[in-house]
Amino acid sequence: MTILVTRPSPQGEELVSRLRAQGRVAWSFPLIDFTPGRELNRLAPALSELREGDLVFALSQHAVSFAHAQLQQQHLNWPTTPRYFAIGRTTALALHQVSSLDIRYPLDREISEVLLQLPELQTIAGKKALILRGNGGRELLAETLTARGADVTLCECYQRCAIHYDGAEEAMRWQSREVNTLVVTSGEMLQQLWTLIPLWYRERWLLTCRLLVVSERIAKLAQELGWQDIQVADGADNDALLRALQ
């Protein structure tokens, strides 16, 4: 098995290092990069408006790191009044490390649907909710919180930017290195990979690879794009991906 990891830096390189330490053949091929979000200047005012029992949601580690850098630049701390939630364990740990606060997160899958099942989020009418996220993305969390009566504010803390590659050159490189397993951690990156690889290589190499993804939603998209050998990991962090690759 030769594994191509498309997740962004530094998590992609970390996963590759851990795979190589186990004697596996693995390569890093990040498809996206991150830059500061367009709404970071709204973060401090939005946090200052939150009162006891209001809600803050962090949807990724990148949202946490860009938000924390912004607060540090303004010599501000994370307020202790609101209740904090994260999409999953890794994001919760990142937010706890920078804030020392208690962060609630779903113990099952790292997806909005499971996060929304937390008991504390069932009766939230009249509460303010601040969602820290990247550009775009799924609206399910915001829509559901609004439907439950919360006053929702979105804050774009970072932007995802596609890294540009020569598709034919990359396809030739990875096929010649006998890559037969792909790790893809978002639907956006899956679509990007499919579009990048020219048709000839797509049919003869890309779609014949085993594909490891992190949600049923991405698996469904992969099926629609033509993949057949698809596995869904039990989480989106590197530990879950390592388990799945074993």
Side-chain angles (χ1 to χ4, degrees):
M1 184 195 299
T2 300
I3 304 158
L4 189 65
V5 176
T6 67
R7 82 177 316 175
S9 304
Q11 292 95 336
E13 282 90 344
E14 186 212 36
L15 179 57
V16 166
S17 296
R18 291 173 69 181
L19 285 163
R20 288 177 175 176
Q22 294 177 354
R24 320 291 284 279
V25 182
W27 305 92
S28 177
F29 182 47
L31 291 172
I32 58 175
D33 204 356
F34 301 99
T35 57
R38 292 166 294 193
E39 296 170 351
L40 276 173
N41 60 336
R42 298 188 206 166
L43 175 66
L47 283 171
S48 71
E49 288 176 11
L50 301 178
R51 300 291 171 259
E52 192 73 43
D54 285 340
L55 319 163
V56 178
F57 295 87
L59 298 193
S60 72
Q61 294 174 74
H62 301 288
V64 172
S65 58
F66 279 100
H68 185 63
Q70 177 72 10
L71 293 179
Q72 279 191 311
Q73 200 178 321
Q74 296 175 275
H75 306 289
L76 296 170
N77 294 319
W78 291 89
T80 56
T81 10
R83 291 182 291 169
Y84 286 84
F85 298 85
I87 193 72
R89 181 180 171 275
T90 310
T91 304
L93 186 59
L95 185 50
H96 174 72
Q97 283 173 338
V98 297
S99 68
S100 301
L101 296 166
D102 180 41
I103 319 294
R104 293 281 290 118
Y105 63 94
L107 298 176
D108 189 9
R109 307 297 300 279
E110 298 189 10
I111 53 174
S112 302
E113 289 89 338
V114 182
L115 175 60
L116 285 161
Q117 290 170 12
L118 290 176
E120 303 96 313
L121 299 180
Q122 304 315 304
T123 313
I124 54 171
K127 301 291 184 192
K128 279 188 163 65
L130 175 62
I131 299 177
L132 311 179
R133 64 174 197 167
N135 52 319
R138 300 178 73 201
E139 305 298 334
L140 177 70
L141 180 63
E143 288 169 0
T144 308
L145 295 173
T146 302
R148 291 178 186 175
D151 175 11
V152 176
T153 301
L154 301 171
C155 182
E156 181 195 285
C157 296
Y158 66 96
Q159 290 191 55
R160 291 177 290 270
C161 311
I163 300 173
H164 297 289
Y165 294 101
D166 180 317
E169 197 178 293
E170 294 303 327
M172 208 182 305
R173 180 205 316 275
W174 302 125
Q175 190 183 34
S176 70
R177 288 182 178 176
E178 299 183 348
V179 166
N180 55 11
T181 302
L182 308 169
V183 178
V184 182
T185 52
S186 81
E188 181 187 4
M189 288 191 286
L190 184 68
Q191 187 73 61
Q192 189 185 335
L193 181 63
W194 187 89
T195 306
L196 173 70
I197 303 301
L199 181 64
W200 191 91
Y201 283 105
R202 199 186 293 157
E203 292 177 344
R204 288 163 180 76
W205 167 68
L206 188 71
L207 294 174
T208 66
C209 289
R210 172 192 176 206
L211 181 66
L212 176 62
V213 297
V214 298
S215 74
E216 294 295 345
R217 181 175 56 86
I218 305 172
K220 187 172 182 294
L221 173 63
Q223 232 169 354
E224 289 165 5
L225 291 173
W227 270 279
Q228 292 180 333
D229 189 357
I230 305 162
Q231 182 183 356
V232 181
D234 62 16
D237 58 43
N238 281 346
D239 291 339
L241 293 170
L242 274 173
R243 285 194 298 274
L245 288 165
Q246 284 160 359

